[in-house]
Amino acid sequence: MLTTPVGAPARWVSGVCQGTLGELFQGPLRPGGDADIAIVSFPVDRHSWVYFSPDAGPGDEPPDAPPHVPPDTPPLGSKAATAARLFLEHFGRTLPPGRWSSHSDLHVGVGMASSTADIVATLRCLFRLFSLPYDTGAVLRVLSAIERADSVFLDEFALYLSGRHRVVRRLGTGIGFHTAFVMEPGTVDTAAVTPVLRRHYRRCATEYERCLTDLLKGFASGDPAAVARATTFSSVLSQEVLPKHTFETVLAHREEFGADGVFVAHTGSLVGYLFSGRPAPSLKGELSAFFRSLGHQCSFAQGGYA
């Protein structure tokens, strides 16, 4: 969805894109061989914003721009700037005089799809600026020229080949979860670990095939508990190749907290619980204390769409 701030002067145009809390699944699409790496991203209610102001004067800011954004923050990251250039070339447009502004809730390098969200928010801003209909095909062409991506350009779940930039199956908007999660220190270089992942997928081909089958059945039946079970299985498999320090402890306490499942950023540093219902304030306190005992600050966010 493209948005402009309510009540904002007409000169401001904006694009918004959600990020992710890692994935509900990451593994091979087909067992054996060098199968394509498939993901089902886990969208979260955290976002990247990009604004453009034609002929904006010095000091003008969008009325809803977060006041804590440092004044020396670059207006666009390098990947977002590349996306803008590719957009203009593809559609044969010239950017009018003006300036960019941006803000993001998403942490970099932990599994929240921050760079993909920045790119998509930039493209959505440009579609609105030039009054063009949102074109998923054009978005995919731009993404494929820049990076392996998540499926945040869609407003629904999808089984997606992140390297090939191909949507295999749309999974709808019928599943949602409340989450409690933490970010462990460090980042993961996705490109560097891809060969390691492929070897792991070959070793565990049968398990991944069963996991993906169960996940897709859960989506087809609209059963969040089944999706959570499959996501937990995918997270356990991921632990064998890219382990999280807190994962085993988090998994061991799942039933104690009444969580439906455990999720991770498979090539990131996020780990947390899935709840089909909203945790009570008392449970949030218990979860916060538990994660603090592990040395981390707990965060809460709504993921998915239902």
Side-chain angles (χ1 to χ4, degrees):
M1 178 183 295
L2 304 181
T3 64
T4 51
V6 176
R11 67 179 178 271
W12 282 107
V13 182
S14 70
V16 183
C17 183
Q18 65 197 344
T20 68
L21 289 179
E23 302 82 23
L24 298 181
F25 171 85
Q26 179 174 308
L29 181 60
R30 295 175 298 278
D34 286 327
D36 295 317
I37 297 177
I39 62 174
V40 176
S41 292
F42 184 26
V44 65
D45 192 21
R46 304 283 174 86
H47 300 83
S48 174
W49 291 268
V50 170
Y51 303 92
F52 185 78
S53 176
D55 295 315
D60 288 341
E61 294 290 346
D64 66 342
H68 57 278
V69 176
D72 59 347
T73 299
L76 282 184
S78 61
K79 290 183 178 180
T82 298
R85 175 179 59 79
L86 293 173
F87 177 99
L88 296 170
E89 291 175 357
H90 176 77
F91 288 102
R93 302 299 177 109
T94 300
L95 194 68
R99 69 187 179 99
W100 295 98
S101 178
S102 64
H103 174 73
S104 181
D105 290 333
L106 309 173
H107 294 269
V108 176
V110 301
M112 299 188 80
S114 59
S115 63
T116 304
D118 288 347
I119 290 168
V120 174
T122 301
L123 297 176
R124 287 176 168 173
C125 183
L126 288 166
F127 279 120
R128 181 171 289 275
L129 176 67
F130 292 106
S131 300
L132 294 170
Y134 186 63
D135 183 346
T136 300
V139 173
L140 282 170
R141 283 190 289 274
V142 170
L143 285 170
S144 65
I146 299 175
E147 66 174 9
R148 180 187 293 272
D150 296 84
S151 60
V152 292
F153 57 89
L154 298 174
D155 290 324
E156 63 177 313
F157 286 106
L159 179 62
Y160 181 67
L161 299 181
S162 59
R164 293 180 179 238
H165 300 275
R166 182 164 71 86
V167 178
V168 177
R169 185 183 303 183
R170 292 173 180 258
L171 301 175
T173 58
I175 297 292
F177 294 104
H178 297 272
T179 71
F181 67 96
V182 296
M183 289 178 285
E184 294 186 352
T187 60
V188 176
D189 184 337
T190 303
V193 301
T194 295
V196 178
L197 289 174
R198 289 191 185 278
R199 290 194 294 271
H200 172 65
Y201 294 161
R202 286 194 294 271
R203 289 194 302 269
C204 302
T206 301
E207 291 87 346
Y208 274 107
E209 184 178 21
R210 185 170 78 250
C211 180
L212 181 56
T213 297
D214 291 345
L215 184 85
L216 296 179
K217 285 181 179 178
F219 272 104
S221 61
D223 184 349
V227 171
R229 287 193 297 271
T231 296
T232 303
F233 188 17
S234 182
S235 300
V236 170
L237 291 170
S238 174
Q239 184 71 4
E240 296 178 16
V241 62
L242 292 174
K244 310 291 187 291
H245 295 296
T246 59
F247 180 81
E248 300 298 340
T249 304
V250 170
L251 181 64
H253 287 77
R254 181 190 65 80
E255 292 186 5
E256 173 187 337
F257 293 118
D260 293 278
V262 175
F263 72 93
V264 299
H266 289 67
T267 50
S269 59
L270 303 173
V271 57
Y273 290 119
L274 299 170
F275 296 91
S276 55
R278 184 185 299 275
S282 58
L283 179 55
K284 286 186 175 182
E286 293 172 10
L287 288 162
S288 296
F290 167 70
F291 281 116
R292 176 62 74 179
S293 73
L294 300 179
H296 301 289
Q297 173 61 45
C298 179
S299 296
F300 300 96
Q302 189 163 355
Y305 300 97

